Amino acid sequence: MRRRRGEGGMQRALHRFHRARRASLRAMLAALVALPLLVVSALTGCTAPVSGAGAHFVTPPLVRYSAVLWPVPLQLVGAEPGARLRLTARLVTRHGTWTSAATYTVPPTGTLDLARAKPQFAPFTEPDSAGLFWSLRGPRIPADDAARQWMLDTLHLTLTASDGERVVASRRFELQGLAAAQSVRTLYTRDLRPLIDPRLPHQTHEDVALGTFFSAATLEHPKTPAVLMFDDATPGASAEYAAPLMAQFGASVLRIPVTPASDGIRSTGIISAATVQAVFDWMAQRPDIQRNRVFVYGTGAGEQLAVWAATRFPSRVHGVFVAAGTPALLCLPGTRVPPAFEGSAGLPCLDDARTVVPSTVPPLDGVEGPVVMACGESDTVLPSACDWQRVLAATRLARPGDAVVYAGGAGHAVSVPPGLPISLPAAGGQPTEKGRIAFWNAVGRALLQADLG
């Protein structure tokens, strides 16, 4: 894309902003690669600790918080030993107020370490320094408003420690919109038409939006890995949340929408192999994409298409990220129509997603790079989710970077970025949150390694 005159200064300023914003991210992800079991904040920069007498909250320096949040060190220091404190998180937005609370007993040291202390009377049972963030509960709001609130707006959360009616300590956290400065463009059918058939005119009255491209390229990183994302529009798991996160990991993302059926696991639309091939060709022609570092991503209703694309075009795909769906193609609701076509012929599809049919799972052994898959062992939307993933995992010999997350006790929404209070049960949401952390840790490692070459 050519820049108009006068845009150069603004572009350079935006690149400097992105560089500063992503500096701590890359350092944190490097730690993830070196220490796979380390749970860190891959997204945040920090604020300086509060100084002065009395109890106060302390965080590491230089952490920049967003609504997408990994557990980070968070302590209440200078508190009265043995005191029983109620910690409350409160977030006021244009759509209403979000709150969460937990009770803790201060140890003899007077320092309450939320990463180690077990809470009492809380929406989570295990130590979790980010627990009061992801367990926030508030009003129901439309999907578009929710995406803007959590990913674009700058929010202010107040964390308060109280002993009865007396406030012991208070800290205000600024949660910056992770997607606020994201570079986005729309991909139209006219962009792909010459790649499908050069004889077709460039402009027609049938021109429609096909997808959305999220660029991660900067002056310092002008050529990035890329992710072809088959986007399931389920709240929290959609491109509005996942694409900006993958861009922060250093990968550009091309989103192809997938509209899920009411059951949450089928698609209601179809896509052709010719279109997917043209999409790969379009990405290969872009000077800002590493053509040998293209991943496919699909969760929920999008997983079947991600696996199909990876096995249909193995030479174009470096790695695969899938979760909470089936690797086999599922017929559109109430029909024998598949979601993927080869020319004018539909591919075989299954009517029943609950029963695992190993012969319908295409092998991923042709994918040279990492494969990351995840499921919730307590998925009520697709109870057979982990059985499907076990069959898919068995289609290849494990390679460096591969990860299979069988999240014990987790529900369906294991692909929502960590820290977001979305699609979690009112009680018992911690297993799902842990599954999200494990899935995105593995995705982050794979993308960072691809970006570093």
Side-chain angles (χ1 to χ4, degrees):
M1 237 171 93
R2 294 182 179 176
R3 299 190 184 101
R4 296 189 300 269
R5 289 186 178 180
E7 289 185 340
M10 180 178 295
Q11 291 293 332
R12 285 191 293 273
L14 285 173
H15 286 313
R16 286 194 296 271
F17 173 82
H18 282 296
R19 180 178 59 187
R21 186 180 180 85
R22 288 166 58 180
S24 66
L25 167 69
R26 292 182 177 277
M28 296 291 189
L29 283 176
L32 275 176
V33 173
L35 300 172
L37 298 181
L38 182 63
V39 179
V40 299
S41 168
L43 296 177
T44 51
C46 239
T47 51
V50 177
S51 60
H56 55 275
F57 289 102
V58 175
T59 59
L62 307 177
V63 172
R64 188 185 306 276
Y65 290 91
S66 78
V68 177
L69 180 68
W70 269 251
V72 294
L74 175 59
Q75 296 180 338
L76 176 65
V77 302
E80 181 182 352
R84 196 171 191 183
L85 302 180
R86 188 67 169 167
L87 270 60
T88 303
R90 179 181 174 87
L91 177 69
V92 179
T93 74
R94 70 184 76 176
H95 301 291
T97 300
W98 296 66
T99 60
S100 182
T103 300
Y104 293 87
T105 299
V106 179
T109 61
T111 296
L112 179 63
D113 185 348
L114 298 187
R116 299 176 180 273
K118 188 173 182 178
Q120 305 113 29
F121 304 107
F124 46 95
T125 59
E126 298 179 18
D128 191 336
S129 61
L132 289 169
F133 292 75
W134 58 256
S135 64
L136 289 165
R137 293 294 178 266
R140 288 182 174 272
I141 57 178
D144 289 347
D145 291 338
R148 171 170 291 279
Q149 173 174 297
W150 299 115
M151 300 303 293
L152 290 171
D153 291 348
T154 296
L155 306 171
H156 296 93
L157 179 144
T158 300
L159 186 60
T160 302
S162 301
D163 186 352
E165 298 297 322
R166 181 173 64 91
V167 174
V168 173
S170 182
R171 176 79 176 270
R172 189 171 185 255
F173 293 84
E174 183 175 270
L175 310 181
Q176 299 185 354
L178 189 64
Q182 184 70 60
S183 174
V184 180
R185 63 160 288 186
T186 301
L187 182 69
Y188 292 91
T189 50
R190 65 172 177 264
D191 298 314
L192 299 185
R193 191 171 289 111
L195 300 172
I196 298 174
D197 188 342
R199 297 168 297 178
L200 295 175
H202 186 65
Q203 297 277 3
T204 77
H205 66 283
E206 297 176 347
D207 189 38
V208 296
L210 176 68
T212 308
F213 182 63
F214 300 78
S215 176
T218 65
L219 289 176
E220 294 74 25
H221 296 273
K223 207 172 183 69
T224 73
V227 179
L228 173 57
M229 179 182 187
F230 292 94
D231 175 32
D232 179 354
T234 301
S238 62
E240 285 78 4
Y241 298 87
L245 177 53
M246 287 188 281
Q248 290 290 321
F249 287 141
S252 297
V253 180
L254 177 58
R255 163 199 179 249
I256 302 297
V258 176
T259 303
S262 58
D263 62 8
I265 55 173
R266 298 174 186 267
S267 170
T268 59
I270 61 175
I271 191 167
S272 71
T275 297
V276 175
Q277 179 173 321
V279 167
F280 281 125
D281 290 341
W282 182 84
M283 288 193 290
Q285 292 180 0
R286 290 190 62 87
D288 56 348
I289 287 179
Q290 300 175 23
R291 61 183 303 171
N292 63 340
R293 289 294 183 270
V294 176
F295 297 78
V296 292
Y297 176 107
T299 64
E303 175 173 337
Q304 57 185 325
L305 295 173
V307 173
W308 164 72
T311 54
R312 175 62 178 79
F313 302 98
S315 65
R316 314 296 293 270
V317 174
H318 178 66
V320 178
F321 308 134
V322 292
T326 72
L329 294 176
L330 302 177
C331 302
L332 272 58
T335 73
R336 291 293 301 169
V337 177
F341 272 67
E342 185 75 45
S344 60
L347 299 174
C349 60
L350 292 178
D351 287 323
D352 182 13
R354 294 169 297 179
T355 301
V356 177
V357 183
S359 62
T360 64
V361 177
L364 286 178
D365 204 48
V367 177
E368 294 186 0
V371 171
V372 176
M373 57 186 76
C375 60
E377 294 279 11
S378 298
D379 188 334
T380 58
V381 176
L382 181 61
S384 59
C386 285
D387 293 331
W388 280 112
Q389 304 299 52
R390 288 186 179 92
V391 172
L392 181 60
T395 65
R396 66 186 261 125
L397 295 175
R399 301 177 190 179
D402 282 7
V404 185
V405 178
Y406 302 118
H412 183 67
V414 292
S415 65
V416 176
L420 291 167
I422 296 173
S423 300
L424 289 168
Q430 195 165 33
T432 302
E433 175 67 9
K434 292 172 68 175
R436 294 173 177 181
I437 291 173
F439 174 66
W440 283 105
N441 278 351
V443 171
R445 284 194 295 267
L447 293 178
L448 176 67
Q449 289 172 331
D451 191 23
L452 297 178

